[in-house]
Each structure stands twice: as structure tokens, then as C-alpha cells.
Amino acid sequence: MKSMTIISIAALTMAAFSGVANAAISETQKWKMVDHRLENTSNGKKLCMTAVAFEPATMEVCGSHPETQNLREPNFALNGVLMLDAYPEYAYAPLDDEIYIRDYSTESYWDYINGQLKKTDRDGVLKCLDIEGGKNVPGARLYLETCTK
């Protein structure tokens, strides 16, 4: 009977620890505004959000495409807008859960909470900006995914 109690306590302890580990925010969902660029440093790489017109946003080397990487920091600080510095009529916003450069609108507003960029999708579900495949590598696409805690 004592061995069953010990095993049960050990199993509950392991379950609790794994729950705590799973409660962490995914590294691919942690974003920082640095030198007018939105960057992610997961997988030991420092890459920035980049896009080309009519194509989904991807991760690329910071500074490699200043025209689509440089964002207006005051607009981001005030209302979470990822507005392009060179073209303020455009901003990053989702379209069918993928991220594109689009005309500036209310779709361009993001909630920046604990390093995560959050947005309600078209079905009313709160989601976070994430990197495709969980790998911060050049060319990885950006999209909306279930937020990690």
C-alpha cells in the first residue's frame, strides 16, 4: 500500500512539473521592438519580420530589408500598430491567419502583452504571432497560432 502511495505522489509531482514546463511562452512567440524592427531571438538566431508585397511575411536577417523591416516605434508603443516607417499607409496584419503587408486599418492593431503579439482571428479566437514550424530560420513564414501561456 505504501509503494502505491509513493508511486501516486511521484506521478502527481511529475505531472505538476510537466504542466509548469508546458505553461511557458513559446520562444517563437516572444517579440521585441529593437532599433525600429520587430525581432525574435529563438533558436539562438536574431531575425526580424520582413515581407514583400502580396507575399506572406517571413523571418530574415535584421537590416537586410529596411524598407519592410523598419517600423514606426511610437505607433507600436501607443496602439500596437506594425506600421512601416517608409510607407506609413501600410502595416503588418493577418489575412486568413497568415501575416501580410496590407493597407493600414484597424486590422493592423495588435495587443503586445508579455512579449507576445496577440490578435483576434476572424472566428473570434485570440491568437498570437508565431513562426512556422517552431523554427526561427531565414524564410520561415509568420502566422497566427494558439497562444502559449
Side-chain angles (χ1 to χ4, degrees):
M1 185 76 158
K2 278 190 175 181
S3 63
M4 289 295 283
T5 303
I6 292 170
I7 290 172
S8 296
I9 291 171
L12 288 172
T13 304
M14 299 240 337
F17 283 130
S18 68
V20 169
N22 290 337
I25 295 173
S26 167
E27 291 296 314
T28 58
Q29 289 186 4
K30 288 184 181 177
W31 301 93
K32 289 188 300 187
M33 184 66 74
V34 179
D35 295 329
H36 302 283
R37 297 179 187 112
L38 191 64
E39 75 176 34
N40 181 285
T41 57
S42 64
N43 299 339
K45 297 182 177 164
K46 182 174 96 172
L47 298 174
C48 292
M49 180 169 65
T50 307
V52 177
F54 309 115
E55 293 184 25
T58 60
M59 297 303 292
E60 300 296 340
V61 174
C62 296
S64 61
H65 301 282
E67 65 282 354
T68 61
Q69 286 180 344
N70 290 354
L71 303 171
R72 292 197 168 186
E73 284 192 58
N75 295 72
F76 178 73
L78 288 174
N79 52 18
V81 175
L82 300 175
M83 181 184 289
L84 297 177
D85 197 31
Y87 307 100
E89 63 275 12
Y90 297 105
Y92 285 95
L95 179 64
D96 295 328
D97 287 344
E98 287 191 296
I99 311 304
Y100 290 86
I101 293 176
R102 300 176 56 193
D103 290 335
Y104 171 76
S105 71
T106 56
E107 288 293 314
S108 309
Y109 290 61
W110 297 78
D111 292 322
Y112 186 63
I113 303 167
N114 296 327
Q116 290 177 304
L117 283 160
K118 299 181 177 192
K119 189 115 183 93
T120 304
D121 72 3
R122 64 182 176 184
D123 297 324
V125 178
L126 184 65
K127 292 190 175 176
C128 288
L129 180 64
D130 203 348
I131 301 172
E132 179 181 46
K135 298 276 187 189
N136 185 21
V137 295
R141 287 185 178 188
L142 297 171
Y143 64 104
L144 291 178
E145 181 59 63
T146 302
C147 296
T148 58
K149 303 272 184 228

